[in-house]
Amino acid sequence: MATTVTKIIDPDNGSGTDYTSLSAWEAAQQGDLTGVRDEIAVAKCRCTGGTADTTPHTYIDGWTTDSTRYIKIWTDPSESYRHSGKWETGNKYRLEVGTSLADRYYAIVVREQYTKIDGLQIHVHPSGSSYGVNGITMDNGSNYSEVSHCIIRCTDEAGYSYGINGYGDYRKLYNNIVYDFTRTNSCGIALTASTPNTNYCYNCTVHNCAVGYYGIDNATIFKNCLAQNCSNGFESDGGLGTGSDYNCSDIASDAPGSNSQTGNVVFVDEDGDDFHLNSSDTVAKDKGTDLSGDSYLPFSDDIDGQTRSGTWDIGADEVITVGGIPPWMLSRTRAIQHLMVR
Amino acid sequence: MAQILVKAIDATHADPVKDRRGCYKRGMPVVVMPDSHTWGREEGLPTFVIIKIPGVSVEKVRKYIEPQREDVANEDGIYPTYRRRLWKFRFDDMPTAALKKLRDNGELTIKVGDYAGDYDYTWKQVRNYIRNLKTNEDEGGTL
């Protein structure tokens, strides 16, 4: 049985830090996990002093992995360094990549199969560059990789950019929020594949992007995905994945699937980029489908790590009422407490 | 003032393309940080060494962590990575004393401009051991 080897990444070099950037961890640990190492390589990201990880171009490349000896990059939700479902600074780990280099650049590029990225915040802001930027690129070779519970945003685009994109098969995205990739041809989530219907994008929220979700040749099945304030919510070249359904867009005849919704969703604080569903919403709330038994990508939580129940909501967040009482019926104090426990 | 974290040992991959494109080799810069940065407990020997360049901004040395790109853009107009890094410190060609210091202490301090503190070598001395892997020529520029 593979040994889990966990290293601590903390830009503030707090107690127990092994590496002060994700790039340094990758450079030190890259290798064959399937051979004598027989290892699951884990980067546990922290932010003990409020400093962001600003190193660009963290390529996950030059490794050998398989289904039981894989790479995991995450913030541990049992620690205090993971976001609470919206972009946060303070002691929340985040990759903030903004310094111009000589070409298109990336926060993270995954070129190895069986790479799992969970609970990161990524902000790409290429001020001064003439090139586009990508949050996470799941490049050729990233088959069987996963991205979940991540928040990815962009400012100061100079060229067309992507929140999450790439080419490969059997990639799984769920419970992610992507926003503000606004330039012409920019896109929140764009996946292509060599084999149709082998990428799965479930319960994601994309807001204020030129294109919300993009698929080529039936590459990706979209379920419970929410697009709001995008010029085009769901776009394809050759079709979205077979069985795409229970999605939502604010553009008529946009979201794929006979059970999909059209309308303006009510968020907790849309202007403040808090894309938790407001419990008063009637467009996405209780309009999704239960994916806990999905044959490709079963899961049962939301971006906050809270267990989804009943009829699922569309998007990354599931409205959880307190004792069955929705927040709008609570006192102001209780309503604030509700938001704090989300 | 900048510090460069440099890989001190080779990573390898059986696939020659992945080995070239993905694996850090001995002498390849990995990240650059300001002088005030403190390194983690595994950011040193035997995996890494640190090149300190007091008085030089991070922006001026950031070019050393650029990947080497393909010469031809792909259909998306992107120049894919050809090699993990464009630049490489030729540690093994450095004078014996410099190599010994790297092996013993894991760092070198380089004097640039009017820096008046302790140092091991000047930039003019060291730049002759920083190779551009595309042109196969050593660094001739100033900082």
Side-chain angles (χ1 to χ4, degrees):
Chain A
M1 186 173 178
T3 302
T4 299
V5 177
T6 299
K7 301 294 182 181
I8 303 299
I9 287 78
D10 178 3
D12 292 300
N13 200 17
S15 177
T17 298
D18 296 303
Y19 303 96
T20 52
S21 67
L22 198 54
S23 291
W25 169 81
E26 200 275 339
Q29 297 296 316
Q30 63 177 185
D32 184 356
L33 301 181
T34 67
V36 294
R37 285 173 70 173
D38 190 23
E39 178 184 323
I40 299 168
V42 177
K44 184 188 283 190
C45 300
R46 293 178 175 169
C47 179
T48 58
T51 303
D53 186 343
T54 59
T55 54
H57 290 312
T58 298
Y59 279 71
I60 312 299
D61 198 1
W63 301 64
T64 303
T65 60
D66 63 22
S67 60
T68 59
R69 280 81 58 96
Y70 54 86
I71 299 162
K72 182 176 181 179
I73 300 167
W74 76 324
T75 53
D76 185 342
S78 71
E79 299 185 332
S80 61
Y81 310 108
R82 178 179 288 207
H83 61 77
S84 61
K86 64 175 182 177
W87 182 269
E88 291 175 294
T89 54
N91 73 331
K92 307 303 182 185
Y93 179 83
R94 58 204 183 276
L95 271 168
E96 297 213 45
V97 178
T99 302
S100 303
L101 292 174
D103 196 356
R104 170 177 286 268
Y105 68 93
Y106 312 84
I108 297 176
V109 177
V110 179
R111 281 184 161 154
E112 298 300 346
Q113 58 182 0
Y114 301 105
T115 300
K116 301 180 181 185
I117 298 174
D118 179 26
L120 299 193
Q121 296 186 110
I122 297 173
H123 178 201
V124 285
H125 51 102
S127 53
S129 170
S130 60
Y131 298 95
V133 292
N134 293 4
I136 298 175
T137 289
M138 306 175 79
D139 220 341
N140 197 3
S142 67
N143 294 353
Y144 306 101
S145 291
E146 296 181 13
V147 176
S148 65
H149 307 94
C150 289
I151 299 174
I152 302 172
R153 69 189 185 104
C154 181
T155 52
D156 301 325
E157 284 170 281
Y160 67 94
S161 304
Y162 300 98
I164 303 172
N165 78 321
Y167 176 88
D169 296 339
Y170 306 103
R171 278 94 49 88
K172 300 173 180 177
L173 311 182
Y174 62 104
N175 288 337
N176 299 293
I177 295 175
V178 181
Y179 59 99
D180 291 350
F181 288 80
T182 59
R183 193 178 176 88
T184 301
N185 295 328
S186 289
C187 184
I189 295 175
L191 295 175
T192 59
S194 59
T195 308
N197 305 312
T198 56
N199 288 296
Y200 314 102
C201 182
Y202 294 173
N203 277 101
C204 289
T205 294
V206 175
H207 185 272
N208 192 36
C209 292
V211 176
Y213 303 88
Y214 184 71
I216 293 180
D217 296 337
N218 307 104
T220 305
I221 298 172
F222 295 94
K223 290 183 179 177
N224 291 351
C225 286
L226 173 58
Q228 293 282 287
N229 201 32
C230 299
S231 301
N232 193 347
F234 294 81
E235 185 176 320
S236 76
D237 179 3
L240 300 173
T242 304
S244 293
D245 204 352
Y246 295 94
N247 301 294
C248 179
S249 171
D250 51 359
I251 300 169
S253 305
D254 183 44
S258 59
N259 294 293
S260 291
Q261 306 293 317
T262 301
N264 294 309
V265 167
V266 181
F267 295 109
V268 165
D269 182 8
E270 186 171 2
D271 291 341
D273 293 334
D274 183 346
F275 301 113
H276 287 104
L277 277 185
N278 190 303
S279 61
S280 68
D281 176 70
T282 59
V283 176
K285 182 173 172 241
D286 295 336
K287 297 295 172 59
T289 187
D290 186 336
L291 297 173
S292 61
D294 188 81
S295 56
Y296 303 115
L297 174 53
F299 66 100
S300 57
D301 65 350
D302 73 354
I303 191 165
D304 303 315
Q306 294 176 312
T307 302
R308 294 178 185 269
S309 60
T311 305
W312 285 25
D313 300 342
I314 297 173
D317 178 47
E318 179 81 9
V319 172
I320 309 293
T321 55
V322 179
I325 304 171
W328 57 270
M329 290 183 66
L330 303 174
S331 68
R332 178 177 172 80
T333 302
R334 287 294 309 281
I336 292 172
Q337 289 172 341
H338 165 78
L339 294 178
M340 291 176 69
V341 300
R342 295 183 69 88
Chain B
M1 179 165 168
Q3 305 179 67
I4 309 174
L5 186 72
V6 183
K7 194 76 189 292
I9 54 177
D10 285 343
T12 59
H13 196 285
D15 179 339
V17 173
K18 290 181 77 69
D19 185 69
R20 183 197 68 230
R21 186 192 67 199
C23 291
Y24 282 98
K25 302 300 180 183
R26 173 174 164 81
M28 286 185 173
V30 177
V31 297
V32 294
M33 293 288 184
D35 177 58
S36 58
H37 185 77
T38 60
W39 299 99
R41 60 190 178 189
E42 296 199 12
E43 292 174 312
L45 292 172
T47 307
F48 299 104
V49 295
I50 297 163
I51 305 296
K52 296 184 174 181
I53 314 178
V56 173
S57 69
V58 166
E59 287 68 32
K60 280 193 172 180
V61 297
R62 199 182 293 276
K63 74 171 190 177
Y64 297 114
I65 62 168
E66 289 270 11
Q68 181 181 340
R69 306 282 186 179
E70 300 272 10
D71 291 332
V72 179
N74 64 19
E75 59 187 12
D76 294 324
I78 296 168
Y79 293 84
T81 300
Y82 176 79
R83 194 189 310 274
R84 192 68 186 240
R85 287 291 183 264
L86 174 61
W87 296 88
K88 181 180 178 182
F89 284 84
R90 295 189 293 112
F91 288 144
D92 296 320
D93 296 327
M94 283 184 167
T96 304
L99 200 53
K100 183 175 187 310
K101 176 139 196 187
L102 281 173
R103 285 176 178 154
D104 292 347
N105 301 337
E107 63 180 48
L108 285 178
T109 300
I110 310 302
K111 171 182 164 60
V112 174
D114 57 0
Y115 170 70
D118 294 337
Y119 65 95
D120 299 300
Y121 294 93
T122 65
W123 174 250
K124 197 170 179 181
Q125 291 172 308
V126 167
R127 69 182 184 183
N128 297 324
Y129 298 96
I130 306 175
R131 175 70 53 89
N132 182 315
L133 297 174
K134 183 177 180 181
T135 64
N136 210 31
E137 293 179 354
D138 290 329
E139 175 67 290
T142 58
L143 284 177

